Amino acid sequence: MTQVMETMQLEFSEKLSAIDNSKALNELRVEYLGKKGKVTGLMKEMKNLSNEERPAYGQKVNELRNTIEGQIAELEAELSKKALEEKLAAETIDVTLPGRTLEIGGSNPIDRIVEDIEDFFIGLGYEIKEGYEVEQDYYNFEALNLPKSHPARDMQDSFYISEDILLRTHTSPVQARTLEAQKGEGPVKIICPGKVYRRDSDDATHSHQFTQIEGLVVDKNIRLSDLKGTLELFAKEIFGSEREVRLRPSYFPFTEPSVEVDISCFKCKGSGCNVCKQTGWIEILGAGMVHPNVLEMAGFDSKEYSGFAFGMGPDRVAMLKYGIEDIRHLYTNDLRFIDQFIPTEDGGEQ
Ligand code: DAH
């Protein structure tokens, strides 16, 4: 090697020993081996040499290039090994840490009650039907024998979207729609759960939004005794095998006769307590025989067909069953409330 080359080699080695990252190494590679690099520069000197000098000179420059390339490759391998080690050290997994547990949420007590009730009626061969929360005045009122001027509309003051469209005030419009779709042909056996709305002051027992479950059976020879038998079975299934049912005369425009249905108190078993307000009975739903006008308006022959219907509020059932004092707890989605209803493995609740 010439003196110049030796100096270059020494200088390179010195610079290389100070390098600790691949970016700087690359810069050094360009400085020596790049197109305008120092070693490449030595090659360009060849043109100033005589023909005899050239081969030996060229060989020396090549040797220098090979040495430098070798040194670079060595450091490169060392750096990438170091980088991998650092990465592995930084990403160590501590297998002794506790795992992340999946949180189990509670389900809203209304959903539970609705599901229990649905299961019971599905077992009796009913079909689940869902209607529309935004409903036409016709199905919400008129087709249920509640014409425009009917005073009973007052009890269900609503949120109107337009003159003829409103948020449904009960689940009964599903009755009217289902009957209409049957085109006068029975049987019909449905259960319709869903949200309903009324313009009401919000307090511990009233909410502008609540839940209802509607039931409807229409066929030939359906009688009030069928309604009573069905509700007795229902009461025993949902509230306990010792429950009894009592029917009291009532009034709904869409049923005739109409009844209010009470069950014997599940807490005191009829002797009187705070749940049943000392009466021994709890009112749980309204019901009756489908009014002939409702059947006729939907296209059924009321001389051939009859039916029963009922409507109940699972909110009230949930409140009574779980001792919930304020209906608003059911609708505010406060997890401190809902988490009290986390299911246990045996299917019950905590
Ligand atoms: N729709 C009634 C209400 O919201 C509840 C009801 C009562 C439904 C009697 C019925 C029924 O189907 O027969 O007050």
Side-chain angles (χ1 to χ4, degrees):
M1 264 200 261
T2 63
Q3 188 63 44
V4 177
M5 288 181 202
E6 259 168 43
T7 316
M8 195 177 284
Q9 165 73 78
L10 282 175
E11 181 199 88
F12 170 81
S13 297
E14 207 166 296
K15 283 186 181 173
L16 189 76
S17 65
I19 281 177
D20 65 352
N21 65 77
S22 54
K23 188 171 173 264
L25 181 62
N26 212 31
E27 279 163 14
L28 190 69
R29 184 205 315 270
V30 173
E31 185 183 335
Y32 282 84
L33 304 177
K35 268 190 195 154
K36 291 177 189 159
K38 292 184 173 160
V39 179
T40 323
L42 290 178
M43 274 296 191
K44 288 178 187 154
E45 297 287 317
M46 293 249 269
K47 62 179 184 295
N48 306 324
L49 297 176
S50 65
N51 282 348
E52 297 78 53
E53 284 168 326
R54 265 184 208 154
Y57 180 83
Q59 200 183 344
K60 281 178 191 156
V61 179
N62 275 339
E63 269 166 30
L64 175 64
R65 169 184 286 277
N66 288 342
T67 317
I68 287 180
E69 270 174 357
Q71 281 174 289
I72 289 177
E74 210 173 292
L75 184 61
E76 208 163 39
E78 219 171 276
L79 287 177
S80 69
K81 191 172 160 223
K82 211 171 101 197
L84 179 66
E85 272 162 13
E86 273 167 17
K87 197 168 170 228
L88 287 175
E91 287 175 4
T92 340
I93 296 166
D94 183 351
V95 290
T96 63
L97 282 176
R100 281 185 206 138
T101 48
L102 278 181
E103 285 214 20
I104 298 174
S107 58
N108 191 303
I110 305 174
D111 294 336
R112 281 175 179 228
I113 299 282
V114 170
E115 271 169 34
D116 289 350
I117 296 175
E118 280 177 356
D119 283 351
F120 167 75
F121 282 104
I122 287 171
L124 292 187
Y126 285 65
E127 218 183 301
I128 311 262
K129 280 263 177 197
E130 285 184 0
Y132 303 110
E133 284 175 40
V134 179
E135 187 51 283
Q136 296 175 29
D137 182 281
Y138 177 76
Y139 293 107
N140 194 80
F141 290 131
E142 235 152 288
L144 294 165
N145 206 25
L146 269 148
K148 283 257 184 309
S149 54
H150 201 291
R153 282 193 177 210
D154 275 359
M155 290 191 310
Q156 300 195 8
D157 198 4
S158 179
F159 299 99
Y160 277 86
I161 285 154
S162 72
E163 184 89 350
D164 291 316
I165 313 266
L166 70 159
L167 295 187
R168 69 177 176 194
T169 58
H170 50 180
T171 40
S172 305
V174 189
Q175 271 194 38
R177 281 182 177 277
T178 309
L179 286 176
E180 189 186 69
Q182 290 291 121
K183 300 201 181 336
E185 289 284 324
V188 177
K189 224 171 153 185
I190 54 164
I191 194 98
C192 333
K195 295 189 198 85
V196 301
Y197 304 84
R198 286 186 199 177
R199 208 185 65 84
D200 217 338
S201 53
D202 285 0
D203 60 34
T205 53
H206 296 88
S207 161
H208 63 278
Q209 177 198 316
F210 54 104
T211 310
Q212 271 195 347
I213 297 185
E214 187 83 11
L216 172 73
V217 173
V218 170
D219 204 347
K220 290 168 186 164
N221 297 318
I222 298 292
R223 288 173 294 219
L224 190 66
S225 52
D226 296 316
L227 170 66
K228 191 170 183 215
T230 305
L231 294 176
E232 263 169 8
L233 267 182
F234 162 77
K236 290 183 197 305
E237 174 74 20
I238 302 294
F239 297 100
S241 56
E242 292 148 41
R243 297 291 78 71
E244 279 169 46
V245 165
R246 170 174 95 169
L247 306 188
R248 285 180 290 116
S250 185
Y251 171 76
F252 298 104
F254 28 87
T255 44
E256 183 57 38
S258 302
V259 291
E260 212 82 60
V261 182
D262 301 338
I263 55 160
S264 53
C265 181
F266 51 80
K267 189 169 176 203
C268 65
K269 310 211 180 335
S271 59
C273 69
N274 59 336
V275 170
C276 60
K277 301 204 182 91
Q278 311 303 331
T279 64
W281 295 93
I282 300 171
E283 185 192 318
I284 53 155
L285 53 86
M289 299 307 290
V290 181
H291 197 293
N293 287 356
V294 172
L295 290 172
E296 295 285 341
M297 272 188 279
F300 274 79
D301 180 349
S302 64
K303 288 193 186 62
E304 200 188 342
Y305 282 100
S306 56
F308 65 74
F310 55 87
M312 68 180 105
D315 311 57
R316 203 172 126 68
V317 175
M319 287 169 78
L320 290 169
K321 191 162 174 182
Y322 297 113
I324 299 161
E325 272 133 34
D326 194 323
I327 190 171
R328 289 167 293 193
H329 288 318
L330 298 171
Y331 291 100
T332 40
N333 290 331
D334 186 335
L335 291 182
R336 289 169 304 178
F337 172 75
I338 307 272
D339 281 349
Q340 295 174 58
F341 301 92
I342 293 175
T344 52
E345 274 178 16
D346 61 6
E349 63 261 349
Q350 283 179 343

